């Protein structure tokens, strides 16, 4: 399998490893030196790191070189080489060069003055002797005391912050570009300058070097081993490998798989109340992730909480794509949603079901509702809840930077077997929050050699899912790039034109205020296409924490507004804020639409007498890689 998602990091850290080796060589004492013993230790550390790298290179050679070639799929490669980004910035203009030089010189003088160096050295005495001085520029990445303890590291990170600010400013001031192209330039510039932070390299990170000194170099060996292990699996590791086991300490809500198709398994969860809501709930999670984001553990599980409210919960578990799914397209996912709805209606002998669509599955759920409405079957769905789902992609956020025609066409080159390796998409999402999800872990796990935490959310984030390549390309082209879903009858599914204006199903629309994947401005637009009643709720936090926020956590807040408002800004201006989880608000909304309850017996309890089931939850599909 390819290891391309870390090739960029590989190039950087190979150079840094070489630099460290050379540094250790310079530190090597002359024969007879009093410090020979300690320096030999450092030389051994460098030799051990070289051995780790050599062993990995031998593995790659014996494997035919697979995983060594660069790919367009690597989002760090996507941001382009230094030259390609810089060519779009006016760095060659003499006035720009002069301004950068002047500002850099002035900043350097100001920083050094705080350490009693240079013509403005009096500043140091005014600040107080022995104190780590306050510096002109600040950033959370450089909050550790070590960044200010010496003038060398202070100067390095201060100049970096200045140039970062200037480069982004140059990108923002660039004129004569298409808006989409300029947005790409801004995104690429930010990604590039964040990648070049001195915090990301061992020789320019004083915190890493302090840890190396404290551990006698063992932290560098551990970190380099972590790095090479990630190269082997082709993916950045965020959490402790092997700590979580599905069905044992994650995704443990009791239930049974009651149906299986080549595309999905249908899980029914075991009730915990004597009476349950008559109308059951069917949840469609995104097929780009594993469903158990909604069932991480007993405390965080939306599934367990919903069951405790007396809701009969069904969950669709999508199959991770393989070569048998090369021809899977839009129609197949819509057909699967309709099939799941029909299966639940027949199994429990109910006229309708409640539904939830999360992210891309919510996008598809909207199309499903429109299709059922056109067929005259809208009453099969009693309500639809949308978790951070978009239908209008005009303001779809930073992901649009990855969906120009060239990038979409290149996906075909990455999917010769008909499916896209989920690691590519995971790396793309990580890049959207590069400092939090890439460089933070580079520093902790590679440079400082720290052990990975045991964190269920991070485990889920790294549990990637392969995608049907043909459908993924169509999704990016038809929805993200061309925004056709909101154009009546522009797209078809199962032979029927899709018109969202036909949707009369009551809808509950949740958005995350800080969502960078499905921005709230974009999610709000769903309200503009519905013909039936809808309720919009804005939750605190983002794409994941804004959804997975159990009442027991007592975190965040949400906003509601019962007035007839026309846009998100008007909604926010008149909204009422409520502290804590929004889940009870949703449950009250749902129960108001189906107040009747029935005993939790018969097939309401999956796997009981006379009920044929396939296996225990969470099922095989969620475990397939």
């Amino acid at each position: 399998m390819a290891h391309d998602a870390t090739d960029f990091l590989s190039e950087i850290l190979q150079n840094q490893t070489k630099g460290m080796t050379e540094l250790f060589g310079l530190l090597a004492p002359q024969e007879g030196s009093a410090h020979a013993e300690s320096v030999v230790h450092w030389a051994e550390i460098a030799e051990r790191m070289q051995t780790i790298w050599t062993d990995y290179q031998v593995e790659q050679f014996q494997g035919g070189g697979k995983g060594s070639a660069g790919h367009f799929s690597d989002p760090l490669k996507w941001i382009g080489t230094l030259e390609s980004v810089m060519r779009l910035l006016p760095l060659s203009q003499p006035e720009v060069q002069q301004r950068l030089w002047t500002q850099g010189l002035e900043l350097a003088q100001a920083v050094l003055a705080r350490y009693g160096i240079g013509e403005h050295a009096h500043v140091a005495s005014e600040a107080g002797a022995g104190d780590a001085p306050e510096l002109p520029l600040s950033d959370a990445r450089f909050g550790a005391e070590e960044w200010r303890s010496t003038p060398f590291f202070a100067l390095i990170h201060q100049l970096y912050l200045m140039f970062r600010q200037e480069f982004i400013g140059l990108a923002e001031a660039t004129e004569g570009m298409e808006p989409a192209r300029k947005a790409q330039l801004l995104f690429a510039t930010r990604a590039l300058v964040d990648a070049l932070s001195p915090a990301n390299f061992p020789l320019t990170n004083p915190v890493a070097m302090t840890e190396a000194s404290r551990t006698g170099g063992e932290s560098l060996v551990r970190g380099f081993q972590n790095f090479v292990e990630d190269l082997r699996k082709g993916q950045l590791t965020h959490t402790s490998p092997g700590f979580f086991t599905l069905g044992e300490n994650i995704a443990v809500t009791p239930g049974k798989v009651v149906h299986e198709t080549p595309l999905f398994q249908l899980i029914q969860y075991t009730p915990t109340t004597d009476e349950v809501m008559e109308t059951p709930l069917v949840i469609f999670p995104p097929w780009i992730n594993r469903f158990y984001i909604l069932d991480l553990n007993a405390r965080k599980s939306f599934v367990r909480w919903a069951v405790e409210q007396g809701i009969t919960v069904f969950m669709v578990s999508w199959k991770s794509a393989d070569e048998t799914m090369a021809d899977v397209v839009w129609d197949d996912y819509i057909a699967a949603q309709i099939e799941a709805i029909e299966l639940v209606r027949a199994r429990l002998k109910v006229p309708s079901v409640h539904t939830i669509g999360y992210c891309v599955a919510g996008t598809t759920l909207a199309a499903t509702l429109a299709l059922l409405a056109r067929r005259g079957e809208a009453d099969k769905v009693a309500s639809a809840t949308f978790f951070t789902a978009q239908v209008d992609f005009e303001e779809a956020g930073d992901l649009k930077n990855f969906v120009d025609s060239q990038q979409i066409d290149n996906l075909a080159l990455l999917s010769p077997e008909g499916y896209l390796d989920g690691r590519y998409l995971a790396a793309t999402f990580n890049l959207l929050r590069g400092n939090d999800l890439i460089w933070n872990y580079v520093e902790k796990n590679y440079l400082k050699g720290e052990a990975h935490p045991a964190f269920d959310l991070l485990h889920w984030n790294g549990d990637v899912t392969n995608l049907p390549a043909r459908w993924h390309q169509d999704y990016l082209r038809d929805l993200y790039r061309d925004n056709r879903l909101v154009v009546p009858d522009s797209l078809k599914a199962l032979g029927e034109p899709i018109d969202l204006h036909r949707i009369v199903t009551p809808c509950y629309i949740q958005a995350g205020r800080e969502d960078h994947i499905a921005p709230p401005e974009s999610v709000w637009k769903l309200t503009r296409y519905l013909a039936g009643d809808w309720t919009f709720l804005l939750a605190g936090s983002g794409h994941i924490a804004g959804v997975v926020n159990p009442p027991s956590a007592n975190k965040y807040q949400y906003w509601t507004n019962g007035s007839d408002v026309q846009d998100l800004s008007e909604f926010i201006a008149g909204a009422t804020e409520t502290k804590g989880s929004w889940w009870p608000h949703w449950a009250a909304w749902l129960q108001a639409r189906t107040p009747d309850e029935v005993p939790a017996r018969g097939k309401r309890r999956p796997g009981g007498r006379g009920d044929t089931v396939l296996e225990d939850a969470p099922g095989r599909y969620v475990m397939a890689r």
Side-chain angles (χ1 to χ4, degrees):
M1 301 296 288
H3 301 298
D4 310 307
T6 46
D7 280 354
F8 187 83
L9 299 180
S10 174
E11 294 172 13
I12 292 174
L13 291 179
Q14 284 178 59
N15 291 333
Q16 289 298 308
T17 304
K18 180 181 178 182
M20 282 189 288
T21 304
E22 292 174 351
L23 176 63
F24 296 145
L26 291 173
L27 292 175
Q30 299 298 320
E31 188 173 350
S33 166
H35 302 287
E37 183 177 350
S38 63
V39 176
V40 167
H41 175 71
W42 282 106
E44 290 174 354
I45 293 296
E47 184 177 350
R48 287 166 61 190
M49 294 173 68
Q50 184 60 44
T51 299
I52 292 171
W53 183 251
T54 301
D55 290 345
Y56 170 71
Q57 294 286 59
V58 170
E59 291 174 13
Q60 294 299 296
F61 177 77
Q62 291 175 344
K66 293 181 179 180
S68 60
H71 249 321
F72 185 84
S73 60
D74 182 350
L76 294 173
K77 296 278 189 184
W78 174 88
I79 68 176
T81 63
L82 179 64
E83 293 82 6
S84 65
V85 173
M86 295 309 172
R87 275 199 303 268
L88 297 173
L89 302 180
L91 295 173
S92 61
Q93 297 178 6
E95 61 272 19
V96 173
Q97 294 178 355
Q98 181 61 44
R99 177 166 57 82
L100 292 176
W101 171 260
T102 300
Q103 290 182 354
L105 185 60
E106 290 175 351
L107 178 62
Q109 291 173 341
V111 171
L112 293 176
R114 284 164 167 77
Y115 294 87
I117 302 173
E119 59 181 307
H120 302 293
H122 62 279
V123 175
S125 60
E126 295 172 359
D131 295 335
E134 292 298 321
L135 299 174
L137 303 175
S138 63
D139 186 286
R141 289 170 289 177
F142 308 106
E145 189 73 13
E146 287 88 342
W147 288 103
R148 303 191 305 279
S149 61
T150 66
F152 174 74
F153 289 113
L155 189 59
I156 283 178
H157 87 266
Q158 288 290 292
L159 287 173
Y160 162 74
L161 290 175
M162 187 211 80
F163 282 111
R164 180 186 188 276
Q165 181 178 327
E166 289 298 320
F167 283 10
I168 292 175
L170 289 172
E172 290 174 338
T174 301
E175 298 179 349
M177 300 181 71
E178 293 280 341
R181 181 62 174 153
K182 184 171 181 178
Q184 285 185 324
L185 173 62
L186 283 168
F187 183 83
T189 302
R190 291 191 182 99
L192 179 61
V193 294
D194 286 342
L196 295 176
S197 166
N200 301 334
F201 308 108
L203 295 183
T204 53
N205 186 321
V207 182
M209 297 310 293
T210 297
E211 182 66 9
S213 178
R214 187 187 70 81
T215 62
E218 289 297 325
S219 62
L220 293 174
V221 177
R222 292 195 303 266
F224 197 68
Q225 185 68 59
N226 289 339
F227 166 63
V228 171
E229 288 300 323
D230 283 358
L231 285 181
R232 284 193 174 98
K233 72 175 188 177
Q235 186 180 356
L236 189 71
T237 298
H238 289 120
T239 188
S240 178
F243 185 86
F244 292 103
T245 301
L246 287 169
E248 294 183 11
N249 59 355
I250 196 168
V252 294
T253 300
K256 304 290 183 181
V257 176
V258 298
H259 189 79
E260 178 179 308
T261 79
L263 187 55
F264 71 93
Q265 287 187 322
L266 185 64
I267 301 168
Q268 181 182 356
Y269 291 95
T270 303
T272 58
T273 57
D274 294 333
E275 301 282 323
V276 293
M277 188 185 301
E278 182 179 22
T279 304
L281 171 68
V282 185
I283 302 176
F284 300 107
W287 51 85
I288 61 176
N289 301 113
R290 307 289 179 173
F291 78 81
Y292 63 87
I293 185 59
L294 297 175
D295 189 29
L296 287 173
N297 59 47
R299 186 178 65 84
K300 297 178 183 177
S301 174
F302 176 83
V303 169
R304 180 182 291 267
W305 182 86
V307 169
E308 291 171 350
Q309 309 313 302
I311 301 172
T312 302
V313 179
F314 289 81
M315 175 73 73
V316 166
S317 175
W318 302 106
K319 182 180 179 182
S320 181
D322 56 26
E323 60 276 2
T324 67
M325 297 170 62
D327 294 326
V328 168
V329 292
W330 160 264
D331 295 52
D332 296 294
Y333 282 99
I334 291 177
Q337 290 188 336
I338 293 175
E339 182 178 3
I341 290 168
E342 296 290 9
L343 285 166
V344 174
R345 290 177 64 242
R347 176 175 172 82
L348 300 186
K349 296 180 173 55
V350 293
S352 63
V353 301
H354 296 297
T355 57
I356 291 176
Y358 194 164
C359 191
V360 295
T363 305
T364 309
L365 177 59
T368 298
L369 296 176
L371 178 60
L372 291 175
R374 187 178 286 271
R375 290 177 172 178
E377 300 175 352
D379 57 355
K380 291 181 178 180
V381 179
S383 77
T385 296
F386 297 89
F387 291 171
T388 65
Q390 302 172 93
V391 298
D392 187 325
F393 292 83
E394 182 181 6
E395 300 180 71
D398 284 340
L399 274 176
K400 291 197 73 172
N401 295 315
F402 294 89
V403 293
D404 62 29
S405 298
Q406 180 182 0
Q407 294 178 73
I408 294 173
D409 291 342
N410 271 279
L411 286 175
L413 303 176
L414 308 177
S415 316
E417 297 178 326
Y419 66 91
L420 183 67
D421 191 318
R423 293 173 298 181
Y424 301 140
L425 192 62
T428 302
F429 281 110
N430 286 342
L431 188 58
L432 295 179
R433 293 176 57 196
N435 285 331
D436 293 333
L437 294 177
I438 298 177
W439 304 115
N440 177 47
Y441 291 92
V442 166
E443 179 177 14
K444 288 183 177 180
N445 303 132
Y446 295 171
L447 305 190
K448 295 163 63 178
E450 294 181 3
H452 296 92
F455 188 10
D456 49 12
L457 178 58
L458 291 177
H459 173 83
W460 167 84
N461 188 63
D463 192 0
V464 299
T465 304
N466 301 332
L467 306 178
R470 181 180 169 190
W471 162 224
H472 185 58
Q473 292 172 61
D474 289 347
Y475 174 79
L476 295 179
R477 181 184 299 109
D478 292 341
L479 278 65
Y480 261 94
R481 191 193 69 182
D482 298 340
N483 204 20
R484 294 177 59 191
L485 182 56
V486 295
V487 179
D489 299 345
S490 177
L491 292 176
K492 289 185 177 181
L494 306 177
E496 302 277 1
I498 300 297
D499 183 0
L500 300 181
H501 297 89
R502 290 177 174 267
I503 298 175
V504 295
T505 304
C507 292
Y508 187 101
I509 303 163
Q510 178 269 342
R513 187 162 190 170
E514 300 167 20
D515 196 334
H516 63 288
I517 294 174
E521 296 82 5
S522 185
V523 174
W524 165 266
K525 290 188 175 184
L526 173 57
T527 67
R528 304 298 90 185
Y529 299 98
L530 301 175
D533 294 334
W534 54 265
T535 296
F536 183 87
L537 179 140
L538 184 63
S541 198
H543 198 69
I544 302 302
V547 173
V548 184
N549 182 25
S552 61
N554 196 29
K555 292 176 64 176
Y556 308 126
Q557 67 283 102
Y558 64 90
W559 293 266
T560 55
N561 188 338
S563 302
D564 183 16
V565 295
Q566 300 303 309
D567 56 43
L568 182 61
S569 60
E570 188 178 350
F571 173 92
I572 293 174
T576 299
E577 178 180 343
T578 304
K579 299 295 184 182
S581 172
W582 57 271
W583 293 3
H585 182 276
W586 167 80
W589 179 88
L590 195 72
Q591 290 164 351
R593 278 148 186 80
T594 49
D596 294 339
E597 294 185 339
V598 297
R601 58 173 181 252
K603 289 192 175 181
R604 294 279 177 166
R605 293 188 176 274
R609 180 178 300 178
D611 184 24
T612 301
V613 298
L614 302 179
E615 57 187 337
D616 290 337
R620 291 176 296 107
Y621 277 12
V622 75
M623 300 180 184
R625 296 293 171 263

